């Protein structure tokens, strides 16, 4: 029996199916859409992807992804305030930037500590963070790690390892999200919000 | 405020978000995965996509997508039996091929008739099908169109237009799908299965 699609197209479907959110079936559907829009969508997408694959590089200072050795944020002098926001991932950095409230620079760890997966401090960019605190005259480290077990373990490790560095260490507040309904919140969040209650 | 991702990456996210099954959010997640796997996944995917965009072409005979003027099925002499299976779309042709039970050649209409969307017979490959019936000595046309209103309207139109061509016109049986439970089937399917009942 012969293949249901030509070999080149099967190869493309297999690669697409490795993207998060796409399985074999939806990858096939996506490729069919691309095949129908070869000129308007498929060729520009291939070009954009090749362009980014060629030009994207990790910022040597913070680990953000940009198109130069220093990312746009590290290259921006207006953001040279003595605060560094530590995030797990570039996705988290983008989320902070969308919120548009932090005016300083970032440090992207590239993951969290995980004993199970054998990820230690030297696998992340934690030693690099200590060097930046020493060299850049940082006054405050804001830990914006995810409120997961691994994220909080990593936050505690960083706070411990920087405890003698003479820098203020803060973390994002935990509590009821804007628009959140108590009925739908987990017990842990309600407990954290109660403990951190403020005068009204 | 500056962009949350560099311009080239934003452009890639915008293009990815135009694929079916991906929205702006999941496109961003897919692009982040690509950025993390620039060498292993992003560069090969861009290459495969450019390759297909450059080489894929519609078969001049049946409308299937291949890498030559005649698709692999039309070029295969073993499939030169006097039966043509008519499908709406290349996806349906692939589904038929996966089932592996049809040994003849196909005719891909490229959609269905639709008065609402202004799609008439000349917008599909229906005139081309009539020419094939005349020229190729076809004995049977198997209508494998979707069991939707538009699909069945199109099937009736094709059957009518070929009624004087001296060719047998059949369509896929309708009934209970393999593994189907009556309790979950719609009334129309149960009705069709009852009307088409067979001696056990």
């Amino acid at each position: 029996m012969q293949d249901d699609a030509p070999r080149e197209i099967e190869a493309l479907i297999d690669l697409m199916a490795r993207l998060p959110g796409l399985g074999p079936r939806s990858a096939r559907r996506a490729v069919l859409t691309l095949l129908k829009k070869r000129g308007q969508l498929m060729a520009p997408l291939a070009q954009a992807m090749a362009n980014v694959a060629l030009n994207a590089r990790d910022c040597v200072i913070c680990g953000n992804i940009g198109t130069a050795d220093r990312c746009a944020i590290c290259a921006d002098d207006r953001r040279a305030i003595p605060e560094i926001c530590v995030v797990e991932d570039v996705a988290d950095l983008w989320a902070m930037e969308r919120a548009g409230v932090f005016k300083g620079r970032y440090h992207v760890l590239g993951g969290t500590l995980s004993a199970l997966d054998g990820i230690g401090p030297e696998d992340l960019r934690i030693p690099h963070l200590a060097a930046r605190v020493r060299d850049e005259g940082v006054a405050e480290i804001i830990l914006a790690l995810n409120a997961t077990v691994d994220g909080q373990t990593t936050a505690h490790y960083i706070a411990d390892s920087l405890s003698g560095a003479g820098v203020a260490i803060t973390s994002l507040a935990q509590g009821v999200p804007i628009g959140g309904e108590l009925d739908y919140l987990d017990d842990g969040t309600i407990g954290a919000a109660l403990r951190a209650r403020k005068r009204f």
Side-chain angles (χ1 to χ4, degrees), chain A:
Chain A
M1 205 191 93
Q2 80 184 84
D3 285 350
D4 47 320
R7 197 155 29 85
E8 293 91 337
I9 298 177
E10 283 291 344
L12 178 58
I13 294 172
D14 286 347
L15 285 168
M16 290 289 283
R18 289 168 58 187
L19 293 177
L22 289 179
R25 216 186 174 81
S26 45
R28 199 184 306 129
R29 219 170 107 234
V31 169
L32 273 164
T33 301
L34 287 172
L35 283 168
K36 280 186 204 155
K37 301 180 179 171
R38 288 203 278 279
Q40 315 101 284
L41 184 54
M42 195 180 210
L45 181 55
Q47 182 61 52
M49 207 175 277
N51 184 22
V52 171
L54 193 68
N55 292 320
R57 40 183 51 86
D58 297 332
C59 174
V60 294
I61 298 171
C62 75
N64 184 16
I65 290 175
T67 51
D69 283 344
R70 294 173 71 193
C71 73
I73 296 171
C74 286
D76 184 351
D77 285 336
R78 287 166 302 179
R79 303 196 63 149
I81 62 172
E83 293 173 9
I84 289 181
C85 177
V86 177
V87 292
E88 289 179 24
D89 227 328
V90 173
D92 301 325
L93 186 157
W94 290 356
M96 289 291 296
E97 286 296 287
R98 279 198 301 280
V101 289
F102 177 66
K103 304 299 181 197
R105 287 172 178 162
Y106 292 91
H107 194 80
V108 181
L109 294 178
T112 51
L113 295 175
S114 167
L116 261 182
D117 299 331
I119 298 177
E122 59 295 330
D123 299 315
L124 305 177
R125 297 165 51 83
I126 292 178
H128 198 91
L129 176 63
R132 284 184 73 183
V133 167
R134 205 172 48 232
D135 301 342
E136 293 182 21
V138 177
E140 181 176 356
I141 294 284
I142 301 166
L143 298 172
L145 303 182
N146 292 335
T148 57
V149 171
D150 281 346
Q152 294 308 304
T153 305
T154 309
H156 281 291
Y157 178 87
I158 293 174
D160 279 350
S161 68
L162 293 180
S163 61
V167 64
I169 298 172
T170 59
S171 73
L172 295 187
Q174 294 192 317
V176 181
I178 306 293
E181 298 179 48
L182 289 193
D183 195 16
Y184 291 95
L185 280 179
D186 62 295
D187 302 347
T189 301
I190 292 179
L194 182 70
R195 284 192 298 275
R197 65 191 178 276
K198 298 190 300 183
R199 193 165 292 276
F200 192 74

